[in-house]
């Protein structure tokens, strides 16, 4: 659980995010993986869309199926500011120094597996820009197999299709996060007074 004071500080620095609730069915392996990531009472992650023009950074973990990439992310340590967590994880996963620009989404997720207690998880999504060198050089090579720059159209086209084709709930979750983030950023850029509904996979948005 993120300390309320740290949430308010992130909002003061980077704006008030759009709140979104998502729910996904997961399989046993996915469920156990989330539980395993909740050591030291962690129940939140920061996800950051590092953008340079129309390109952004995606990462691939060693256990990912071929062609599966997503935006970098990492767990928030107890008492750690969201900005501090994002900067630390960005360097570990991509080798980039970043600065946060906008607090885009605050997602309350629920992962469900029949016969087990649903897992509640929070994701805090930020827009970030790189500082200095754009060369990617992941430091945590045990967790990260590859990091690369891709056009937004690739993330929303072939990569999105590959993630959905896995049929896995956690990858569908990442697709919904990406869809919602890019939608909100497009609305921000357009300075729209009448935001359109967020696009997500059917049946994933909680009423």
């Amino acid at each position: 659980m993120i300390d309320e004071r740290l949430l308010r500080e992130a909002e003061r620095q980077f704006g008030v995010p759009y709140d979104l609730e998502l729910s996904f069915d997961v399989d046993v392996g996915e469920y156990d993986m989330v539980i395993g990531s909740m050591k030291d009472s962690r129940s939140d992650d920061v996800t950051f869309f590092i953008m340079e023009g129309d390109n952004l950074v995606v990462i691939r973990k060693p256990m990912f199926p071929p062609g599966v990439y997503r935006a970098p992310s990492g767990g928030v340590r107890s008492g750690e500011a969201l900005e501090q967590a994002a900067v630390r994880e960005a360097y570990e996963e991509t080798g980039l120094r970043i600065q946060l620009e906008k607090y885009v989404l605050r997602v309350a997720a629920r992962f469900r597996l029949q016969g087990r207690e649903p897992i509640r998880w929070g994701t805090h999504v930020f827009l970030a820009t790189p500082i200095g060198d754009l060369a990617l050089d992941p430091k945590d090579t045990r967790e990260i197999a590859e990091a690369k720059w891709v056009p937004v159209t690739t993330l929303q086209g072939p990569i999105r299709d590959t993630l959905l084709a896995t049929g896995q709930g956690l990858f569908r979750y990442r697709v919904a996060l990406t869809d919602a983030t890019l939608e909100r950023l497009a609305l921000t850029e357009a300075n729209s007074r009448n935001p359109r509904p967020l696009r997500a996979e059917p049946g994933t948005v909680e009423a």
Side-chain angles (χ1 to χ4, degrees):
M1 181 72 68
I2 301 294
D3 185 281
E4 191 70 19
R5 178 182 58 83
L6 296 176
L7 288 177
R8 298 291 83 82
E9 177 61 19
E11 291 179 352
R12 186 189 67 79
Q13 290 182 277
F14 306 108
V16 178
Y18 185 88
D19 286 303
L20 183 64
E21 294 185 2
L22 297 172
S23 184
F24 291 87
D25 293 325
V26 296
D27 62 28
V28 174
E30 293 176 295
Y31 187 96
D32 290 343
M33 183 174 68
V34 176
I35 290 294
S37 70
M38 299 177 77
K39 59 185 178 181
D40 301 323
S41 300
R42 292 184 192 175
S43 59
D44 294 80
D45 75 82
V46 283
T47 294
F48 30 95
F49 286 72
I50 306 171
M51 301 195 71
E52 179 72 16
D54 293 327
N55 298 295
L56 48 73
V57 178
V58 294
I59 57 94
R60 181 175 64 83
K61 296 197 172 189
M63 75 290 291
F64 285 3
V68 167
Y69 295 84
R70 63 167 176 80
S73 68
V76 181
R77 296 170 179 168
S78 177
E80 186 176 35
L82 294 179
E83 181 183 20
Q84 182 182 359
V87 169
R88 172 180 54 77
E89 289 287 347
Y91 184 70
E92 291 175 4
E93 296 199 355
T94 71
L96 294 177
R97 306 289 185 180
I98 66 166
Q99 63 183 20
L100 301 187
E101 303 291 345
K102 184 175 179 62
Y103 191 175
V104 183
L105 289 177
R106 178 168 46 225
V107 183
R110 187 172 62 169
F111 302 122
R112 304 172 303 202
L113 178 64
Q114 187 173 3
R116 298 199 191 180
E117 187 72 19
I119 301 171
R120 298 188 180 277
W121 185 265
T123 294
H124 307 268
V125 183
F126 290 86
L127 172 66
T129 52
I131 301 172
D133 193 353
L134 299 182
L136 298 172
D137 180 25
K139 305 306 177 185
D140 188 351
T141 54
R142 183 177 63 86
E143 286 288 333
I144 305 299
E146 181 185 5
K148 66 179 181 177
W149 290 95
V150 299
V152 172
T153 52
T154 298
L155 181 62
Q156 283 297 84
I159 291 176
R160 185 180 192 276
D161 293 343
T162 301
L163 285 163
L164 292 176
T166 67
Q168 295 187 10
L170 293 182
F171 287 143
R172 292 178 62 234
Y173 176 54
R174 287 293 160 179
V175 167
L177 286 183
T178 298
D179 286 351
T181 298
L182 296 180
E183 183 76 4
R184 297 310 299 180
L185 291 177
L187 290 173
T188 298
E189 291 170 5
N191 195 26
S192 172
R193 294 181 181 272
N194 297 296
R196 293 168 291 164
L198 291 173
R199 187 175 72 252
E201 290 305 297
T204 61
V205 180
E206 291 286 295

